[in-house]
Amino acid sequence: MDEASAKLGDVKFKGLMLKEARIKNGAGRTPEDVLGWDYIFRTNDGVCYSFYEAQFPLIGLTQAVPISCPLGIQTFDSYEIDFKKAIEILNTMNCGDVFVAMTLSWPLTPECTEPYWHIRTSLGNDISIGANSGKPNCNKI
């Protein structure tokens, strides 16, 4: 985030809105299957920017470009459970072990008191994992 902000000059990011994984071959089992992340950040001026950053050991970062801010999610500055721990929690559940989508966001609803990892499995299950509490929930769609 700091590198993307530096490329834009004096733009200061207010907070993360969305983090979406790009997964190797469209399906993954381990953290190493995450190739990188598409980010959406909101600035202090209310403008949203999107960019891609490769996951280490891969390298690469695209130029941040202004986009329309997504509706239904709010900004946040930190979270406790990283994607590796979220995948570890997924692998302890009986909801499928191959993930085909993974995002991090904080829904703009009163009952959501923290950001959530949203993971979809190849079996059609949607898993929500609290990004601060680590509390999982599995729903068949």
Side-chain angles (χ1 to χ4, degrees), residues 42-123:
R42 177 175 262 161
T43 66
N44 290 333
D45 298 332
V47 178
C48 289
Y49 286 88
S50 176
F51 64 91
Y52 170 80
E53 182 175 22
Q55 178 64 41
F56 184 81
L58 302 173
I59 57 172
L61 178 72
T62 62
Q63 177 72 35
V65 294
I67 62 166
S68 297
C69 291
L71 300 174
I73 56 177
Q74 59 186 323
T75 61
F76 56 98
D77 292 324
S78 63
Y79 53 94
E80 300 293 321
I81 307 295
D82 68 0
F83 79 100
K84 293 176 183 179
K85 182 66 174 171
I87 292 171
E88 184 180 311
I89 293 169
L90 163 71
N91 289 331
T92 66
M93 301 173 69
N94 190 18
C95 296
D97 62 344
V98 177
F99 57 93
V100 295
M102 175 183 279
T103 61
L104 174 66
S105 64
W106 190 335
L108 189 59
T109 58
E111 61 272 8
C112 292
T113 58
E114 63 182 327
Y116 287 89
W117 286 103
H118 303 280
I119 303 170
R120 175 162 292 155
T121 69
S122 60
L123 297 176

Side-chain angles (χ1 to χ4, degrees), residues 3-72:
E3 189 175 339
S5 179
K7 285 185 173 186
L8 292 173
D10 292 331
V11 173
K12 298 295 180 210
F13 289 125
K14 177 180 180 182
L16 176 63
M17 291 194 78
L18 180 70
K19 181 176 180 176
E20 183 174 2
R22 291 197 190 176
I23 303 165
K24 184 179 356 176
N25 297 322
R29 293 181 186 271
T30 68
E32 291 75 27
D33 292 324
V34 175
L35 300 174
W37 300 94
D38 289 300
Y39 289 95
I40 297 177
F41 282 92
R42 177 175 262 161
T43 66
N44 290 333
D45 298 332
V47 178
C48 289
Y49 286 88
S50 176
F51 64 91
Y52 170 80
E53 182 175 22
Q55 178 64 41
F56 184 81
L58 302 173
I59 57 172
L61 178 72
T62 62
Q63 177 72 35
V65 294
I67 62 166
S68 297
C69 291
L71 300 174

